[in-house]
Amino acid sequence: MKLMAIDGNSILNRAYYGIRPLSTRDGLYTHAIYGFLTTLLRLRDEEQPDAVCVAFDLHAPTFRHKADESYKATRKPMPEELRMQVPVLKEVLDALNIPRYEAEGWEADDWLGTISRRCEAEGWDCVVVTGDKDSLQLITEKTKVKLVSTRMGQTTTKDMTPESFREQYGFDPIHMIDLKALMGDSSDNIPGVPGVGEKTAMDLIQKYGSIDTIYEKLPDIEAKPAAIKKLTEGEESARHSYWLATIVTDAPLDFNPEVNAVKAPGPDAYSLFLKLEFSKLIERFDLRQGAPALAESERISVAASVEQVTSAAKAGELLELWRNADHISLLALPDLSGVAVYCATGGDTAVMSELFFDRYQGNWNHLLASLFSGDIKKVSHNVKDLMRLLLLNNLPAEGFIFDTALAAYLLDATAGSYDLGRLFVSYFNEELPKPLYLDPDAFALLGDRAAAEASFDSCATAVDALYDALAPKLRERGQQELFETIELPLCRCLAEMELAGCRVDAKALSDFGELLSRRAKDLEAKIYHLADGEFNINSPKQLGEILFDRLGLPHGKKTKTGWSTNADVLEKLRWESPIVDAVLEYRQLTKLKSTYADGLLKALDPDGRVRTSFQMTVTATGRLSSTEPNLQNIPTRTDLGSEIRKMFVPEPGNVLVDADYSQIELRLLAHISGDEGMRAAFLSGGDFHAETASKVFGVAREDVTHEMRRRAKAVNFGIVYGISAFSLGQDIGVSQKEAKAYMDAYFATFPGVRSYMDRVVEQAKADGYVETLYHRRRDLPELASSNFNLRSFGQRVALNMPIQGTAADIMKLAMIAVWKRLKSELPRAKLVLQVHDELIVECPEGDARRAAVLLAEEMEGVAHLSVPLTADAYWGKNWLEAKG
DNA sequence: GTAATCACG
DNA sequence: ACGTACGTGATTACT
């Protein structure tokens, strides 16, 4: 039989510092608890114990069993974000039926010591789980210590048995106490022998085993005379330290391992986990059995009466009902073969309608066309995707007044996921039946219409419930206008862009792919020759071995798994060996081949166009992102990469028109900070980076060299990202000191920028969030963190988000404006792409000039800043040409 | 599934 | 003293 005893404080601590912060919507931090539970699960799987319990420290202010006034005085107080998690973890453990041990004035160690000895007395094995090396003294033949460490979110454990301990330390585990008695431990306030450190202490214990033996033999021991003197003088302290370092093994505890036998979780666990938003852990702890199904929730059982539409007359009735309703909430199956509509009809009543068109006998096209026309106000989840589906089927896509996914994104842009099920748990602490139909793959693979139907109606009802919850919150936070004038109208614009797609010259692309292959093959042979053997060049591990071990090149930065082989590092090694250049070029070629040549060809639709999906709820700043394929990272920085842009072409007779904002982020920095010098630089209309260089380096405008401009440009970008001198130096290849001088000069030149940076961070600390000019918000719990790195990250984000985010807002407004004007003035022109500060339109050749003018006008006119906002537009027969 | 790398703004 | 720029997505290797 085996018992696993966990040091609760130690594991919680490690989880807290090892995992990035996570909190529920109402501000309760949960990452330490989450980390604790995943560690618990892992260790339980690994050890398969028959019993589990957890021990906690509990310090009474007035009583300490180790009567030392300053005991633990040097320990830092627990950060508030961790302290708040302790009682909740205890609640969780109680709910899981895992016994815990704690009492005033006792430490977790003392319980672990006592528990392990009682286990042994009962003939049980014991596994002590802790991150604290103090506990190693408890190791015996029947008790092992599992040392846990959490680094970068990764938990690793090391089993310490008498053998492995002796192998590592060279003495028996029990003499860990003697070691501490000599060397002391500042975090536990154990003095040890003054002047004796880890090295001397280890050496002595390895030779003599215990302090008793050492003091018996004094002064005739093998040690330096100075050490002998310190030991003699420090005997009293050593004896006292021994006592302090000894873990109690006979605490007053009536302990029986049987009582801790593993039990099933109790009835409260499920709701508690829902409250903490631990959906994944609900599965892993298997908490769902016996839980009430969602359908029993009050909101839904009162509201819905489900009926299916089977006649044209019925359809007419429903349309009438929907037209007169304040709004309806609906969801559609991904192939549009079914729609679920929830319609509140006053008081506590509602009509829930499920339309499945393979069964429906009447003219359902008419029903759909009416449903999605402008005179029925609709709420849905992921409106852009639904609009794309509707437009694809030549149906109208009007009258959408709310999108629950978009609203939830505006309320918390860093939540990461906005699927209906998760939102519902987060807002109502209840689970939705798994919305099978929302996952097109699951639906297609299973062909399980029955399962989809079973959850369909409750999901439409959930959309309505979320609308009621989210809409007032948007208003409270002043984000209604952002929602109504930017996010929601953009859905239609993006749906049309996705549908339009971009034409790609497939033949040219596959020819280019062939060329890349041939050149990569040549390089591969060359690399094998230079390396004196074959290996996988694409494996950073194998490449590192070849470069740094076999060829003995000097290594630079390290990664978690070995030496870095990234382009930055290799760049510095170019002169060391010709293999480096070959590898760099090989990387470039294979990247172009696999991601762009092959990748785009794979994504090509039969009509020769690629259709990306624009994601509206992914970035923390408000930008869009592009997936499957990503068309926002098509190469442009190298000549070879630019070849790919030549493959993006219009239909015959058309051209591509490309318009991009000029330095929109820096202009926004000038506007938001109000720095007069920076504003003047933009108002003068010259080359801003050169202008900056002239001011920062104190030379006349015409004396600015290429290198000075390059450096000034890097500083400008660095400022927007929340710079540090170190990274700036790295980036432009100067010393940290020199970089610091540039920054000082920069801030002296633009003092308003520095005061803005201070101001925005202060404000963010006070508010807990930052926002854009249009009230897009990003929460910043990182600023309150006790972790230096996280806090610094929070500060950089506080500087960057309002700028990057406002630029994103402005671009979205511009897209809406451009879309509207194109629709009325140049109906044959279509927006096809957005790349953050760049818009691309495809239109007939004859419309090119007017489209270019229109683009620039709308992009420039959409915001009124205290500096000019400028956009440049060109056109051409492919994307590269259109970049001007 | 995670890590490393590299493409973009 | 800390450890090192903001925001993304796709591919490949490897556990």
Side-chain angles (χ1 to χ4, degrees), chain A residues 317-508:
Chain A
E317 263 175 53
L318 279 174
L319 285 172
E320 193 54 28
L321 176 77
W322 296 337
R323 279 193 196 102
N324 292 323
D326 170 72
H327 71 274
I328 59 174
S329 295
L330 61 84
L331 283 172
L333 294 180
D335 59 356
L336 209 54
S337 66
V339 179
V341 182
Y342 175 98
C343 179
T345 48
D348 278 343
T349 59
V351 173
M352 179 72 229
S353 315
E354 291 184 314
L355 318 154
F356 289 110
F357 301 119
D358 53 347
R359 293 196 205 133
Y360 179 53
Q361 311 292 312
N363 180 1
W364 54 265
N365 202 50
H366 168 257
L367 173 60
L368 280 177
S370 307
L371 172 55
F372 292 109
S373 73
D375 37 300
I376 295 178
K377 294 190 279 294
K378 291 165 289 282
V379 173
S380 192
H381 193 76
N382 294 328
V383 164
K384 182 213 71 188
D385 295 330
L386 177 53
M387 283 179 159
R388 175 173 168 171
L389 186 62
L390 293 169
L391 296 173
L392 179 68
N393 287 279
N394 293 312
L395 286 162
E398 314 283 340
F400 285 93
I401 60 155
F402 203 81
D403 181 329
T404 43
L406 276 179
Y409 168 66
L410 291 190
L411 291 171
D412 182 5
T414 47
S417 137
Y418 304 92
D419 66 73
L420 194 59
R422 244 191 272 179
L423 279 187
F424 201 75
V425 170
S426 147
Y427 279 87
F428 304 118
N429 293 339
E430 279 180 57
E431 280 191 303
L432 223 42
K434 191 169 162 51
L436 196 57
Y437 64 88
L438 287 178
D439 177 354
D441 288 337
F443 187 58
L445 283 173
L446 298 171
D448 190 352
R449 170 141 288 173
E453 288 174 12
S455 61
F456 208 20
D457 60 312
S458 29
C459 289
T461 310
V463 170
D464 198 71
L466 280 167
Y467 171 58
D468 288 344
L470 297 173
K473 282 192 198 292
L474 279 182
R475 284 196 293 274
E476 276 165 36
R477 299 194 352 168
Q479 294 187 298
Q480 197 177 7
E481 193 179 348
L482 171 66
F483 184 81
E484 286 174 358
T485 63
I486 299 186
E487 296 298 316
L488 202 54
L490 189 65
C491 290
R492 176 61 185 257
C493 179
L494 292 176
E496 291 187 19
M497 288 168 72
E498 291 183 0
L499 225 42
C502 293
R503 185 154 178 262
V504 166
D505 184 341
K507 176 69 171 60

Side-chain angles (χ1 to χ4, degrees), chain A residues 492-545:
Chain A
R492 176 61 185 257
C493 179
L494 292 176
E496 291 187 19
M497 288 168 72
E498 291 183 0
L499 225 42
C502 293
R503 185 154 178 262
V504 166
D505 184 341
K507 176 69 171 60
L509 194 57
S510 77
D511 287 351
F512 185 57
E514 292 293 317
L515 173 82
L516 294 170
S517 281
R518 283 195 300 275
R519 287 179 52 181
K521 202 139 195 170
D522 291 347
L523 278 164
E524 183 186 272
K526 186 173 170 191
I527 291 167
Y528 291 161
H529 177 70
L530 289 164
D532 202 20
E534 298 195 359
F535 65 101
N536 186 345
I537 309 168
N538 286 318
S539 162
K541 185 167 165 269
Q542 293 180 37
L543 179 63
E545 280 159 17

